[in-house]
Amino acid sequence: MRFGGSIVTRKQLLRLVELAELPHVTIQVLPFTADGVPIVNTPFNQIPSHGGFLETIQMDHASQSMYLHDPDSVAQYRRHFERLCGVALPPVDSSPSAVSRDVRDSLGLIQHVLYSHY
């Protein structure tokens, strides 16, 4: 989906590639054509905590944000996130050897969109 003009989109894509170089950041792209995508239409944030006691799932809705703390809900959304990661393209690897590979991955898709559309 496209939000903003071409210049904004190009800057966002370049920023994603830049952020992927950080050791604590993993970026995966989930194409619209991915098979086996679980049906959840609400974006959510998985907020971890040390020891897991305060782990929270946060979801924004039109009228308010919702926070889930109970272990069953947290486990359900953790499994959902793991399934999404499983069907997404492999994580962005911006190392020089990865950039020159001919592999379908998240970086390849970002580069394709960046250079063929912007």
Side-chain angles (χ1 to χ4, degrees):
M1 287 181 257
R2 186 171 161 175
F3 298 98
S6 297
I7 293 171
V8 171
T9 303
R10 181 173 175 73
K11 286 181 180 179
Q12 289 173 338
L13 292 170
L14 289 171
R15 182 69 174 144
L16 285 175
V17 173
E18 183 180 300
L19 289 172
E21 295 177 356
L22 297 173
H24 63 284
V25 174
T26 301
I27 296 176
Q28 281 185 271
V29 175
L30 182 64
F32 289 115
T33 59
D35 291 330
V37 175
I39 298 174
V40 168
N41 57 5
T42 303
F44 64 94
N45 293 310
Q46 189 176 345
I47 305 167
S49 70
H50 297 290
F53 299 113
L54 300 174
E55 190 167 0
T56 301
I57 301 300
Q58 181 265 329
M59 294 176 284
D60 289 327
H61 293 277
S63 61
Q64 67 180 357
S65 292
M66 186 166 120
Y67 300 89
L68 303 174
H69 308 282
D70 66 280
D72 290 338
S73 294
V74 169
Q76 175 187 359
Y77 278 88
R78 190 181 309 121
R79 286 189 303 273
H80 176 64
F81 184 74
E82 289 168 1
R83 284 192 303 265
L84 289 172
C85 290
V87 298
L89 295 173
V92 169
D93 179 0
S94 59
S95 65
S97 63
V99 172
S100 64
R101 288 191 318 236
D102 183 26
V103 176
R104 183 182 165 143
D105 61 3
S106 295
L107 178 61
L109 182 58
I110 290 170
Q111 288 176 325
H112 169 75
V113 170
L114 181 62
Y115 297 118
S116 64
H117 299 286
Y118 302 101

